[in-house]
Amino acid sequence: MFARFDRMAKGFTRIGKDIAIAVKQGGPNPDNNPRLRMAIQNAKGINMPKDRVEAAIKRASSIDKKDFHEVIYEGYGPHAVPIVVECATDNTTRTVANIRLLFSKNGGSMGNSGSVLFLFERKGIFKFHAQDLNLNDLELEIIDAGAEDIQQEDDEIIIYTKFSEFGHFQKFIEDKELSPISSELNYIPKDTKEITEAEQNEVMECILALEADDDVQFVYHNLA
């Protein structure tokens, strides 16, 4: 139960920062701000209360609001597993020190910019409840709108797009009045790495430690 509450709190914090960045870039009106519309939709996907979403927009619109910056850090976890850490922070000096320490304490090492990012490709990922998306009727339109891959896992449909097609596909689902669980730009590994179960556990300890940091939004790796 406590782990679930921790994940929920982390999700709300992450979406709150997404909202702050979106408002800073495009203003507080979601009608004129596609990134803010996406953040609000993602908030619904994790059941973030409407009043918290509205409060986050109001805070981000205030004169004395904190300015969050998106930064990427790269490094290697135990057993030379490449790791990309995506952060949103109001203090990059604090964040880079924390990320470097977390790598070091958990058997990894922080690298320079570009040291591992070339092993990943940025893609759009749209997740839908299977009952909300009729693939029989929409599959060809979805492909025409920029879908690169369509996968079904249990009761979810996951659609991948190229980075360059993300905005086009987002407009398509808005025009079709489709409601995704989430729409995000993530770093996907070009190849995966096979290691033993014991080694995987060591890598996951490093990843979980990074994910727990308040400034971290996402952690990506190439473990198989």
Side-chain angles (χ1 to χ4, degrees), residues 14 43 79 131-132 167:
R14 178 175 61 80
H79 311 290
Q131 68 268 22
D132 294 338

Side-chain angles (χ1 to χ4, degrees), residues 73-78 80-86 103 116-117 119-121 186-195 199-200 203-208 210-211 218-224:
Y73 299 108
E74 305 167 50
Y76 286 93
V81 171
I83 294 177
V84 174
V85 186
E86 187 175 354
F103 268 116
V116 304
L117 200 58
L119 299 170
F120 296 78
E121 185 176 1
N186 288 349
Y187 288 94
I188 308 298
K190 296 176 182 178
D191 293 296
T192 55
K193 183 169 184 172
E194 298 274 359
I195 55 178
E199 290 170 340
Q200 284 185 32
V203 176
M204 289 309 301
E205 284 185 17
C206 180
I207 290 169
L208 291 172
L210 289 164
E211 286 180 337
F218 294 103
V219 178
Y220 309 100
H221 58 82
N222 75 344
L223 277 181

Side-chain angles (χ1 to χ4, degrees), residues 65-173:
K65 70 181 184 300
K66 291 181 178 178
D67 284 341
F68 288 102
H69 304 279
E70 295 174 291
V71 288
I72 298 291
Y73 299 108
E74 305 167 50
Y76 286 93
H79 311 290
V81 171
I83 294 177
V84 174
V85 186
E86 187 175 354
C87 300
T89 178
D90 60 343
N91 185 331
T92 53
T93 302
R94 175 195 67 223
T95 304
V96 68
N98 288 348
I99 299 303
R100 181 176 287 109
L101 180 62
L102 287 168
F103 268 116
S104 178
K105 286 177 64 176
N106 291 278
S109 60
M110 190 165 163
N112 296 324
S113 177
S115 58
V116 304
L117 200 58
F118 70 95
L119 299 170
F120 296 78
E121 185 176 1
R122 203 167 196 205
K123 291 182 181 288
I125 301 179
F126 297 80
K127 294 183 180 180
F128 297 85
H129 291 298
Q131 68 268 22
D132 294 338
L133 192 66
N134 190 330
L135 282 180
N136 290 330
D137 293 339
L138 291 173
E139 187 169 8
L140 290 179
E141 290 184 71
I142 287 170
I143 293 170
D144 287 342
E148 189 177 46
D149 188 23
I150 303 171
Q151 298 179 6
Q152 186 154 0
E153 298 178 4
D154 299 325
D155 61 345
E156 283 187 4
I157 293 173
I158 305 171
I159 297 174
Y160 294 83
T161 73
K162 291 182 179 179
F163 173 75
S164 59
E165 294 290 338
F166 181 83
H168 183 218
F169 194 84
Q170 186 182 355
K171 185 177 186 306
F172 165 76
I173 63 175

